[in-house]
């Protein structure tokens, strides 16, 4: 009986930690606690832009889809913010937080308008992240993928001290 109670308690703790991560991603990152604006540009979907070489002509935008419990990376053209499909089935990535590195893979989730074999949207289920990430107030993310024989790499840092107004399509 006590073993069953411990399992239920552990499941509640994991669920509570997941809710805390979702809330911290929704409520806050790079803005000061006094609600002053920072000179940071957010993307078309309300998320953070992952820094990649601008000569490539596209950008990656990091968002949270709380309703579907997943992180979404949108690939979009610079300036126009139109979808920019990539010919890859996943994006490799690493989260770093509190001295810990967590390797993950964002899987292709093509939009209806994406050509066959390409995707302008990539997703990571929140269940793929370890419980320790859910309590983190600050982390960095590095993403990479092959493009024309080269390794394209981008990164961003995130602090949970501001709000987002995410929009998903």
């Amino acid at each position: 009986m006590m073993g069953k109670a411990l399992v239920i308690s552990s499941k509640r703790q994991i669920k509570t930690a997941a809710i805390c991560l979702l809330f911290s991603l929704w409520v806050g990152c790079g803005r000061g606690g006094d609600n002053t604006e920072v000179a940071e540009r957010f993307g078309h979907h309300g998320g953070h832009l992952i820094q990649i070489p601008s000569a490539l002509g596209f950008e990656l935008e990091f968002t949270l889809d709380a309703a579907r419990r997943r992180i979404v990376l949108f690939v979009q053209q610079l300036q126009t913010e139109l979808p920019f499909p990539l010919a890859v089935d996943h994006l490799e990535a690493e989260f770093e937080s509190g001295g810990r590195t967590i390797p993950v893979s964002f899987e292709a989730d093509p939009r209806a308008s994406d050509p066959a074999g390409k995707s302008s949207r990539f997703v990571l289920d929140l269940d793929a992240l370890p419980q320790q990430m859910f309590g983190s107030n600050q982390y960095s993310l590095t993403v990479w993928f092959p493009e024309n024989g080269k390794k394209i790499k981008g990164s961003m840092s995130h602090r949970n001290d501001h709000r987002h107004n995410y929009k998903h399509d």
Side-chain angles (χ1 to χ4, degrees), residues 25-89:
L25 287 172
W26 178 71
V27 168
C29 34
R31 187 182 298 180
D34 61 358
N35 288 329
T36 57
E37 295 291 327
V38 292
E40 181 173 6
R41 186 171 81 82
F42 291 96
H44 174 70
H45 300 92
H48 288 279
L49 298 177
I50 295 174
Q51 301 301 310
I52 60 171
S54 62
L56 296 171
F58 64 90
E59 60 193 3
L60 301 173
E61 183 181 359
F62 175 95
T63 69
L64 174 70
D65 183 347
R68 296 177 72 186
R69 294 191 33 76
R70 63 187 194 164
I71 297 171
V72 181
L73 296 182
F74 290 99
V75 186
Q76 53 206 18
Q77 291 178 359
L78 287 175
Q79 315 302 314
T80 67
E81 297 178 337
L82 293 171
F84 190 92
L86 301 175
V88 296
D89 60 0

Side-chain angles (χ1 to χ4, degrees), residues 13-153:
Q13 288 174 336
I14 290 170
K15 186 175 181 179
T16 300
I19 290 168
C20 287
L21 175 67
L22 286 173
F23 183 74
S24 68
L25 287 172
W26 178 71
V27 168
C29 34
R31 187 182 298 180
D34 61 358
N35 288 329
T36 57
E37 295 291 327
V38 292
E40 181 173 6
R41 186 171 81 82
F42 291 96
H44 174 70
H45 300 92
H48 288 279
L49 298 177
I50 295 174
Q51 301 301 310
I52 60 171
S54 62
L56 296 171
F58 64 90
E59 60 193 3
L60 301 173
E61 183 181 359
F62 175 95
T63 69
L64 174 70
D65 183 347
R68 296 177 72 186
R69 294 191 33 76
R70 63 187 194 164
I71 297 171
V72 181
L73 296 182
F74 290 99
V75 186
Q76 53 206 18
Q77 291 178 359
L78 287 175
Q79 315 302 314
T80 67
E81 297 178 337
L82 293 171
F84 190 92
L86 301 175
V88 296
D89 60 0
H90 69 280
L91 306 176
E92 294 297 326
E94 286 182 344
F95 282 94
E96 289 186 38
S97 180
R100 184 168 181 203
T101 301
I102 300 122
V104 295
S105 183
F106 287 83
E107 300 302 321
D109 182 29
R111 296 171 172 163
S113 62
D114 290 342
K118 292 187 174 187
S119 182
S120 61
R121 180 175 55 201
F122 295 83
V123 299
L124 174 68
D125 189 68
L126 288 177
D127 293 333
L129 294 173
Q131 182 179 350
Q132 293 84 351
M133 273 295 293
F134 294 107
S136 179
N137 285 325
Q138 186 171 338
Y139 58 87
S140 63
L141 173 66
T142 303
V143 179
W144 64 93
F145 57 95
E147 172 90 3
N148 297 325
K150 296 180 184 175
K151 183 178 182 178
I152 306 300
K153 191 174 184 178

Side-chain angles (χ1 to χ4, degrees), residues 24-25 27-31 48 158-164:
S24 68
L25 287 172
V27 168
C29 34
R31 187 182 298 180
H48 288 279
H158 189 272
R159 289 186 50 184
N160 290 330
D161 60 2
H162 66 272
R163 291 182 182 251
H164 287 277

